[in-house]
Amino acid sequence: SPFPPAPWRAMVRGNAKANAQEKRAKKEAAKNKGGSQKKEQQKALKFTCPVCKQQMPQVKLLLVHWDSKHDKVKLEPEEIKEARVMAMAK
């Protein structure tokens, strides 16, 4: 432009740009903070099927799994008997 920059025109967009960058950086930091949940999921798997070694987070799910997948097994292992006692206690 043929006119010299006026002091009131200088850095009009500069402050808004800095604010936008700061806001975007905070948004990205919040988004990337979560990360993977695989380790938390592994901690939640507390019960293991004694036959197929599949892991489950709850006793009830272990019993449902046992009844549906291993219904032909004649003798119930101790782990399943203990799981039934735990499920009845709750």
Side-chain angles (χ1 to χ4, degrees):
S1 102
F3 302 105
W8 54 271
R9 283 195 210 164
M11 295 299 289
V12 173
R13 180 68 186 131
N15 189 28
K17 183 179 177 183
N19 288 343
Q21 286 176 344
E22 183 179 337
K23 185 178 176 183
R24 189 175 337 110
K26 285 182 183 177
K27 188 176 180 180
E28 288 294 322
K31 186 173 88 173
N32 293 334
K33 186 176 84 172
S36 177
Q37 296 178 353
K38 288 289 183 185
K39 292 180 183 175
E40 295 299 321
Q41 288 175 345
Q42 286 301 108
K43 289 180 189 175
L45 298 175
K46 298 176 183 174
F47 303 98
T48 304
C49 175
V51 174
C52 64
K53 305 299 183 205
Q54 183 176 352
Q55 295 178 325
M56 279 140 248
Q58 299 173 352
V59 175
K60 290 181 182 180
L61 293 176
L62 175 62
L63 294 176
V64 169
H65 165 81
W66 177 263
D67 293 337
S68 66
K69 302 291 182 187
H70 307 296
D71 56 345
K72 294 186 171 124
V73 176
K74 299 286 185 202
L75 294 174
E76 265 190 0
E78 284 298 316
E79 293 91 349
I80 300 299
K81 291 178 184 177
E82 292 172 7
R84 290 196 192 281
V85 171
M86 287 175 57
M88 291 296 195
K90 289 183 179 183

